[in-house]
Amino acid sequence: MMETQITQAETEEQHLLSELNDEGGGKKEKKKKLYELNELHHLVNVLPYIDSHDSELEKNAKQLVEEEMMLMNKQNEVKNYLQSFDIPPSVYAKMESSLMPNELKRCEQGITMQKLNLSSYNIQGEQLEEEKNLNQWSNTLKKHQIVLENLHNALINVELMNKYKEVMWSEHMKVFTHIDINLQNNIKLLKDQIDNINKQRKLHQLSYVNDLSALQNERNEYKRKNDIVLEEIKRLHSENLRLRYRRNVE
């Protein structure tokens, strides 16, 4: 019992000390969530693949874009919406080890890019003369070392090719086999789609045969009746002329 009371007393003292420390040091900083550690976490809500939107909102947005495009076409001008925004600083342009600053300056000045210097690999015209000084001999030695290293790498590639040529060629042919199979499947799929379209067109044409036949019969019937009416009109016209002639004669 005595030990329990001592433990409880120590616990109460620790709580009191922690409360005093909190009051003396001010408010404790609120612990941030994991996604809040990112400085731009508030922009996550504006991503289109995270935010959900209804069809009405999408319709209104498209309407606004169409109105803006019509206005630009009418005024014959293209608005620069980013004119008021500063150009964001490039991380690579500030790095000392980056090639971006020099390349950007070269592009701004319109200077063409220098071609790759292959003179180090050309040692056929080198002549070993005793009159050369130490620097010339050193440069010649470096050129020969570069060519020797290049030939060594080429020899390694040839040895690897000779060692694994059957396996690599087999893998290479497998890739082309898969490509051929995919192309054949695509061709078959397209042919099936064409056949289905032709079948649907044929079915539609057959379904319209009865309607077209009925319309054709109705047209023929109207034509027959029109012929009868025209014949009757001709007969009445002839009769009218005959009666008028008789009246004039009498």
Side-chain angles (χ1 to χ4, degrees):
M1 291 291 293
M2 192 66 179
E3 293 178 355
T4 305
Q5 292 177 357
I6 293 173
T7 305
Q8 291 178 354
E10 291 178 352
T11 306
E12 291 177 357
E13 289 178 359
Q14 290 178 358
H15 283 299
L16 290 173
L17 288 174
S18 62
E19 290 177 359
L20 291 174
N21 291 330
D22 292 340
E23 292 177 357
K27 295 182 179 179
K28 294 179 70 176
E29 185 178 358
K30 185 179 179 181
K31 187 177 181 181
K32 293 184 179 180
K33 296 181 180 179
L34 183 60
Y35 72 91
E36 291 179 348
L37 297 178
N38 189 352
E39 296 180 357
L40 304 178
H41 67 87
H42 59 281
L43 296 178
V44 174
N45 291 329
V46 304
L47 296 177
Y49 50 83
I50 291 180
D51 274 352
S52 59
H53 57 275
D54 53 1
S55 58
E56 184 177 359
L57 180 62
E58 185 177 1
K59 183 179 179 181
N60 294 334
K62 288 183 178 179
Q63 184 178 359
L64 291 174
V65 173
E66 291 176 357
E67 291 177 356
E68 189 69 15
M69 294 296 294
M70 291 176 61
L71 183 62
M72 284 193 293
N73 291 330
K74 186 177 181 180
Q75 297 178 354
N76 195 15
E77 65 175 354
V78 179
K79 295 182 179 180
N80 187 5
Y81 296 99
L82 302 179
Q83 187 176 5
S84 59
F85 293 90
D86 297 331
I87 299 176
S90 177
V91 178
Y92 299 100
K94 294 183 179 180
M95 294 175 61
E96 296 180 356
S97 60
S98 177
L99 298 175
M100 291 297 295
N102 295 331
E103 287 299 315
L104 291 174
K105 290 180 182 178
R106 181 186 62 78
C107 294
E108 291 177 356
Q109 296 175 2
I111 302 174
T112 57
M113 183 182 293
Q114 295 181 357
K115 296 182 179 180
L116 186 63
N117 186 10
L118 300 177
S119 60
S120 299
Y121 298 95
N122 186 13
I123 60 174
Q124 295 179 359
E126 287 288 334
Q127 295 181 0
L128 301 178
E129 299 177 357
E130 296 181 357
E131 290 79 7
K132 287 186 177 181
N133 56 22
L134 183 60
N135 292 330
Q136 292 176 347
W137 279 103
S138 177
N139 293 332
T140 303
L141 179 62
K142 288 181 180 179
K143 287 184 179 180
H144 283 75
Q145 287 177 347
I146 292 172
V147 173
L148 183 62
E149 185 67 24
N150 189 23
L151 292 175
H152 179 67
N153 292 332
L155 181 61
I156 292 175
N157 291 330
V158 171
E159 291 177 353
L160 290 173
M161 185 179 65
N162 289 330
K163 184 177 181 180
Y164 300 104
K165 57 184 177 181
E166 292 85 2
V167 178
M168 294 305 297
W169 182 253
S170 177
E171 294 295 329
H172 185 65
M173 291 305 298
K174 284 182 181 179
V175 173
F176 278 97
T177 303
H178 287 300
I179 293 174
D180 182 64
I181 292 172
N182 291 331
L183 290 175
Q184 294 295 333
N185 292 333
N186 291 332
I187 292 172
K188 184 179 179 181
L189 180 62
L190 290 175
K191 287 183 178 180
D192 292 339
Q193 291 178 355
I194 293 172
D195 292 338
N196 290 330
I197 292 173
N198 291 331
K199 288 179 181 178
Q200 291 178 0
R201 290 177 61 189
K202 187 67 175 179
L203 291 174
H204 284 301
Q205 291 175 359
L206 292 175
S207 63
Y208 293 146
V209 167
N210 296 329
D211 296 336
L212 293 174
S213 299
L215 291 174
Q216 184 68 26
N217 294 331
E218 187 176 358
R219 176 180 176 276
N220 294 332
E221 183 66 19
Y222 283 139
K223 185 178 180 181
R224 186 183 66 80
K225 291 181 179 180
N226 287 334
D227 292 339
I228 294 173
V229 171
L230 289 174
E231 290 294 331
E232 188 66 22
I233 290 173
K234 288 180 181 179
R235 189 184 65 79
L236 292 174
H237 183 66
S238 300
E239 185 68 21
N240 187 20
L241 291 176
R242 187 178 63 79
L243 292 174
R244 289 174 64 183
Y245 177 75
R246 288 179 61 182
R247 183 182 298 174
N248 292 331
V249 171
E250 293 176 356

